[in-house]
Amino acid sequence: MLSQTAAGFSGRRRRQFTALSKLFRDKVTPKRVLENPDALAICAALVHPAASAPLARWQIQDAVLREADNSLQRYPGRRRWWGSLVYPLAILVLCGVIMIGICLYLVPEFDRMFSEFGLALPPTTKSLIWISRFVGRWKLAILIVFLGSVVVTAGLAYHLRRSATGPAQLSGPTGWFIGSRGIWALWAWHVGLLLEVGLSLGDAITLAGRVSGRARLKQASHEMVERLSDDSSQPSDVALYFPSGPFPLLAFTLQLQNLKQQSAVLRDVAAMYWEQECNKRVWWLSWLSPAVVCVVGLSVGVVVVALFSPLVQLI
């Protein structure tokens, strides 16, 4: 079923369901399912139907397709915000190539002309000539560093587009690009699923923190469990900071007594945090292209002024 579902998708969702298919094809254990939020989301939808009667094929298919739809909300399109980076990155690479060409071929000609006429050079022109000589002296090393930077950036983009989903994505380079609300959203969503399948609140918090891949999140989960076991304190006493906060909705949810209600509210809070994280990322990316254009325009303006301002003395 999962293999057939994976064949109907492309990109990240296809990789997601291919990994799930491999997980269930092997000797899957309850522990592995509980530690894998994507697998748990499918199994959680089948817990109650399986308790009353044998599962039908359509029920399993419905759970898989529901997980496919919900994954779009949990992991809002990386392709969309990576696509927003293509234009500014292309502009930066093109600008870098042009600047290196100017330093290698154009500035030396102006340098010889300035020397022949004995012109007094302003600081900007002297700085540009010094940069040109430095680039000419170390052009091979600069070319290697420049190409290496392009390759590393492309490799990082490839890794992030093909990286794992769920809390597993919090470890490694993928987690560098996830904000505080996105991190706590993944954690809250996982805790909500664990509560739905019958784990206690303390066990759910501990397990979600342990498999998150973040030491700070694991420590915060441990502190929350200690607070919950302390009769003299309230869950809201736990500092929900990662690294900024607080997140009062999570603290409020932990105070609910009904575990079923707690599970539903945690996933609602996670959905809200995901939306806020996505909107924040889109807002920052909307300013990236104008900022890059301004920097490129300023750089071109400085080069033009530095090259042609000494020629005013010849008029």
Side-chain angles (χ1 to χ4, degrees):
M1 180 69 66
L2 289 170
S3 300
Q4 296 175 357
T5 304
F9 294 120
S10 62
R12 179 188 54 76
R13 284 205 290 176
R14 181 167 188 167
R15 294 189 296 271
Q16 174 190 0
F17 281 94
T18 300
L20 286 175
S21 175
K22 182 179 179 181
L23 173 68
F24 284 104
R25 192 166 51 246
D26 298 337
K27 293 183 179 180
V28 64
T29 62
K31 179 182 177 182
R32 293 184 65 186
V33 173
L34 292 175
E35 292 178 349
N36 188 312
D38 292 330
L40 182 60
I42 296 175
C43 294
L46 301 174
V47 170
H48 298 295
S52 57
L55 290 174
R57 181 181 177 86
W58 68 267
Q59 291 176 309
I60 300 176
Q61 185 176 11
D62 182 68
V64 171
L65 293 178
R66 192 183 310 163
E67 164 61 11
D69 293 335
N70 292 339
S71 66
L72 290 177
Q73 181 187 32
R74 290 201 305 272
Y75 317 115
R78 292 179 190 162
R79 183 173 299 178
R80 180 174 61 183
W81 63 275
W82 269 112
S84 302
L85 291 176
V86 171
Y87 175 73
L89 287 177
I91 293 296
L92 285 177
V93 171
L94 182 61
C95 180
V97 172
I98 292 175
M99 288 299 177
I100 291 175
I102 288 175
C103 290
L104 288 176
Y105 301 106
L106 186 59
V107 176
E109 297 296 329
F110 277 84
D111 187 15
R112 283 191 290 269
M113 183 172 60
F114 296 153
S115 300
E116 291 176 1
F117 287 101
L119 300 177
L121 303 179
T124 53
T125 305
K126 291 180 180 179
S127 300
L128 182 61
I129 291 175
W130 181 88
I131 294 173
S132 174
R133 292 173 180 174
F134 178 83
V135 172
R137 188 180 301 114
W138 298 97
K139 57 185 175 183
L140 182 59
I142 293 175
L143 180 62
I144 293 175
V145 171
F146 181 77
L147 293 178
S149 301
V150 174
V151 171
V152 169
T153 302
L156 180 61
Y158 179 81
H159 169 78
L160 291 174
R161 291 187 61 182
R162 298 186 64 87
S163 56
T165 56
Q169 69 176 307
L170 298 182
S171 59
T174 310
W176 301 346
F177 298 90
I178 302 178
S180 304
R181 293 188 181 277
I183 289 171
W184 280 110
L186 289 169
W187 176 88
W189 169 69
H190 194 187
V191 172
L193 287 175
L194 292 171
L195 292 176
E196 184 178 350
V197 296
L199 267 69
S200 66
L201 181 59
D203 292 339
I205 292 175
T206 301
L207 180 58
R210 179 168 57 82
V211 302
S212 66
R214 286 291 184 98
R216 179 65 185 88
L217 193 56
K218 181 179 179 180
Q219 179 184 354
S221 300
H222 179 70
E223 293 173 359
M224 274 185 271
V225 174
E226 289 184 345
R227 296 277 184 172
L228 290 169
S229 60
D230 186 359
D231 296 334
S232 62
S233 64
Q234 295 294 329
S236 57
D237 297 334
V238 180
L240 296 176
Y241 294 89
F242 196 91
S244 61
F247 299 99
L249 282 177
L250 284 179
F252 168 78
T253 306
L254 294 177
Q255 300 179 65
L256 299 175
Q257 300 300 321
N258 189 311
L259 291 183
K260 185 176 181 180
Q261 183 183 13
Q262 218 169 34
S263 171
V265 175
L266 276 172
R267 282 181 286 177
D268 289 341
V269 170
M272 185 186 66
Y273 282 172
W274 275 316
E275 184 178 1
Q276 292 176 349
E277 181 73 15
C278 184
N279 292 338
K280 179 182 177 181
R281 184 178 295 168
V282 170
W283 186 86
W284 281 108
L285 289 176
S286 66
W287 285 98
L288 184 60
S289 293
V292 169
V293 171
C294 290
V295 170
V296 171
L298 182 62
S299 302
V300 172
V302 170
V303 170
V304 171
V305 171
L307 289 179
F308 290 97
S309 59
L311 299 180
V312 178
Q313 302 175 39
L314 299 177
I315 299 177

